[in-house]
Structures are given as C-alpha cells and as structure tokens.
Amino acid sequence: MVTAAHPAQLLRTTPSAPGTRFPAVRHLGPNWYASVMGTAVIANAGATLPYRFTGLRTTCTAVWALSLAMLAVLLTARAAHWIHHRDQARAHLLDPGVAPFYGCLSMALTAVGAGTLLVGGDWIGAGPAVAIDAVLFTLGTAVGLAAAVAVPYLMVVRHRITADQASPVWLLPVVAPMVSAAVGPLLIPHLPAGQAQQTLLYACCAMFGLSLLATLVMLPVIFARLVTAGPLPTALTPTLFLVLGPLGQSTTAANKFADAAPGVVPAPLDQGFLVLAVLYGIPVTGFALLWLALALAMVRRARRGGMGFAMTWWAFTFPVGTCVTGAEGLGKHTGLAVFDWLAAGLYVFLLAAWAVALARTLRGVVTGRLLAAPR
C-alpha cells in the first residue's frame, strides 16, 4: 500500500535514481498537459465569440497550431518518460496528488481536436480537419473514460487519503468525459444521418450525466475540506479554479446539444435540448460566478502570502475558457446581450492568464527550473 502525503505532492515526486537517458523528462508529469488545454481553449473560445474583430480568427488559428505543436511535443516527451523512467511514471500513478492529472491527457486531445475542426480547417482544409478531430476525439474520449474509472479506483484501493487532503485536482479525471460531451456534437454534421448521428448525440448526453453526477459527489467533499481544514497551501490555491471546469463545460455541452439536436432527433426532443440548455445553463453559470469570486479572493490572499509561479497557474486558463464558451452558448440561445458581455469579459481575463502562464512556463523550461527534480 502507498501512504498518501499532503496534496502538495503534486509539486513533489518520489525520489529515485535518475535514468541514464533523457533525464530532462524524468520529472515531466501528466500535469503538463494542462498547458495544451489552456492554449487550445484560447482558439476554441475565440472562434465562437459573439464579437468579431479584425484578425481574430487568424490569431485563433495560429494559437490552435501552437496547441497542436505543444501536444505533439508533450506526447513525445511523455512517451520517453514512460519508456526511460518507468519507475517515476509508476510513482506518479501511485501518488494521490499526481494521478488525477491523467485526466488532462484526455482533455488536451479533445480540446486540440475541437480546435482543428473550429479553426484549423482554414489552414489544412475541411477534410483533414474532420479526420484529425475524429482521431483525437476518439482517442481522448477513450483515455478520459479509462481515467474516470482507473483514477478513482486507485484512490480507493492503493492511495491512502485523509479528509483534509481533498483537493479540486480530484475533479480532473471525472471532468474529462464532460469535455468529450461538449466537443463531440461538432462531429455530428459529418456523420451519416440517422443512427450514427443520434448515437453520437446520445453518447455525449451519457458522458454529460456521468461527469455531472461524479462532480456532484466530489464537490461537497472538496468544499467541506476548505471550511474544516482551512485554505489550501499557497502553491495549490490556483487549483480552486478547476471547479469552474465542470460548471462551464457542462453549460457548454448543454448548449452544443441544443445546436446539434434539430434534424438529428425528432420533435419535441430537439426543443427539449434547447430547454435544457437554458434552464440548466443559467443557474449553473450563476454558481460558477459565485465560485469565481471565491477563488479570486483566495488567490489574492495567497499572493499576499507569497504565492509564486507553479504549473498550477494553468488552472487559470482552461476552466475559465469553459465558462467563456458556456456564456457564448447562453447568449446565442437566449438572445441576451448580458451573456455576450460576460463571455467577452471572461475571454479578456483568459487571455491575460494564458499570456502570464505561458511566459512563466517558457522561462521555467529555458532555465531548467520546471524540469529539475522537485524540491
């Protein structure tokens, strides 16, 4: 059995003899996929903003290309990690602070795939874009469903966790199927009409329910830990933003169902999806804004307490991006300008957070600090 340590272990790994080949990737954990997710969501959210600006789509396409390149580099580096540093890879799986980040691989694959279909086709053509998205969506969904089962299983039978170690990081593996649910409808128009389209739509609905109910199980545990054990360690405080992920992504998914349903399912089911999008999305967005205010207050407190940069800062990107796409969908289906304003305001915050996280990450890679053995 593995004795669990404090959640701050996501910044530490079990020390062991360094490998003889590719030492730079020895401590490269699955949390690095968050940088791909955070970059891809810039393109995905920007592609559907309710306001158009000169050069916006070209910029989004360039950012998508960057996310695709980052994904390719990280997949290669992580493969080298597993091949040449298998002891460290196993240690990551057995570390309750690191194992949940395996959900990030799924979300990186599906987010980049969605961007390929949304904007990548401008550069590579519609046919290749559909093919790439289909492959990335299929792989990402399979990985996400596996992580949603395997990581909780490890938490139960191998990890030893106390109540005060509950962390928003626990949401990562169970929110991965929600990302698949939100981006899957983009492929529906490219499938044969009838059974194929309906099957994908209802499969996305099933993943929506899977992820939502699992989130509702975990959120009370996470909040109870906050109010009974106090604030998270400063380095982990940005992970509070991870709670926005299932909230914004489920709102996005409900709106994507409403977009895809007409012509795919018979009436009145198609209108039922529209009702779901509005009646579910608005209350959840309200709670997301409440949590955003709480998370911002906690981050401000942590900054005053000396919180420095860590890879956890990427939590400021993708979860906020899901709230942008959720607000965009609500603006489209309600016709209310307030949701368009909300989407634009959150997108500005997203851009600023992404720029800071990317710059600090590049600096850490160049200096070697982020790739060095954790202290």
Side-chain angles (χ1 to χ4, degrees):
M1 292 296 180
V2 174
T3 302
H6 195 275
Q9 278 189 318
L10 75 105
L11 301 176
R12 301 196 300 271
T13 51
T14 304
S16 56
T20 57
R21 300 187 64 186
F22 302 101
V25 302
R26 176 166 178 78
H27 301 286
L28 188 76
N31 58 314
W32 279 75
Y33 286 114
S35 63
V36 178
M37 297 159 51
T39 302
V41 81
I42 296 290
N44 298 355
T48 52
L49 272 179
Y51 304 108
R52 300 289 90 190
F53 306 100
T54 302
L56 175 62
R57 188 169 180 87
T58 301
T59 301
C60 288
T61 308
V63 174
W64 159 78
L66 174 61
S67 71
L68 181 62
M70 292 170 65
L71 177 63
V73 170
L74 268 177
L75 287 173
T76 303
R78 285 285 297 162
H81 172 83
W82 268 96
I83 293 170
H84 299 290
H85 303 281
R86 198 165 298 173
D87 62 318
Q88 190 71 3
R90 286 195 295 266
H92 285 167
L93 278 174
L94 297 178
D95 188 331
V98 179
F101 282 98
Y102 273 89
C104 291
L105 169 57
S106 166
M107 293 183 278
L109 291 167
T110 51
V112 173
T116 307
L117 202 55
L118 287 169
V119 295
D122 293 356
W123 287 5
I124 66 175
V130 173
I132 291 173
D133 183 32
V135 171
L136 293 180
F137 172 77
T138 302
L139 290 175
T141 299
V143 170
L145 292 173
V149 175
V151 174
Y153 174 83
L154 287 173
M155 292 173 69
V156 172
V157 304
R158 298 301 300 273
H159 303 161
R160 285 297 172 262
I161 305 170
T162 58
D164 64 344
Q165 293 172 340
S167 164
V169 171
W170 291 5
L171 294 171
L172 289 172
V174 299
V175 78
M178 186 67 81
V179 179
S180 292
V183 302
L186 296 175
L187 285 168
I188 289 177
H190 303 283
L191 293 176
Q195 289 281 323
Q197 291 185 339
Q198 291 181 10
T199 298
L200 180 55
L201 177 60
Y202 287 134
C204 290
C205 290
M207 290 188 287
F208 172 92
L210 178 162
S211 181
L212 177 63
L213 294 176
T215 298
L216 292 177
V217 168
M218 289 191 176
L219 265 182
V221 178
I222 294 168
F223 186 72
R225 179 256 176 261
L226 292 174
V227 298
T228 58
L232 295 173
T234 54
L236 291 177
T237 302
T239 64
L240 289 170
F241 274 71
L242 295 178
V243 175
L244 298 176
L247 303 176
Q249 200 64 271
S250 61
T251 301
T252 301
N255 280 281
K256 295 300 183 184
F257 298 160
D259 291 338
V264 174
V265 296
L269 283 178
D270 57 346
Q271 292 303 305
F273 280 107
L274 177 59
V275 172
L276 171 68
V278 175
L279 296 187
Y280 171 85
I282 293 177
V284 171
T285 298
F287 179 70
L289 292 176
L290 170 65
W291 191 272
L292 176 61
L294 174 64
L296 285 171
M298 297 299 292
V299 167
R300 180 175 179 272
R301 176 185 179 277
R303 284 291 286 170
R304 293 172 63 184
M307 182 184 76
F309 176 75
M311 288 298 289
T312 52
W313 282 33
W314 282 99
F316 297 137
T317 58
F318 189 80
V320 175
T322 67
C323 294
V324 175
T325 54
E328 289 169 353
L330 289 175
K332 175 182 178 181
H333 291 129
T334 64
L336 294 177
V338 66
F339 289 113
D340 295 341
W341 301 338
L342 176 62
L346 290 175
Y347 192 69
V348 171
F349 177 92
L350 171 63
L351 286 174
W354 173 74
V356 172
L358 183 64
R360 294 291 191 93
T361 301
L362 289 174
R363 182 191 304 173
V365 170
V366 171
T367 61
R369 185 181 70 84
L370 290 178
L371 297 175
R375 294 189 299 272

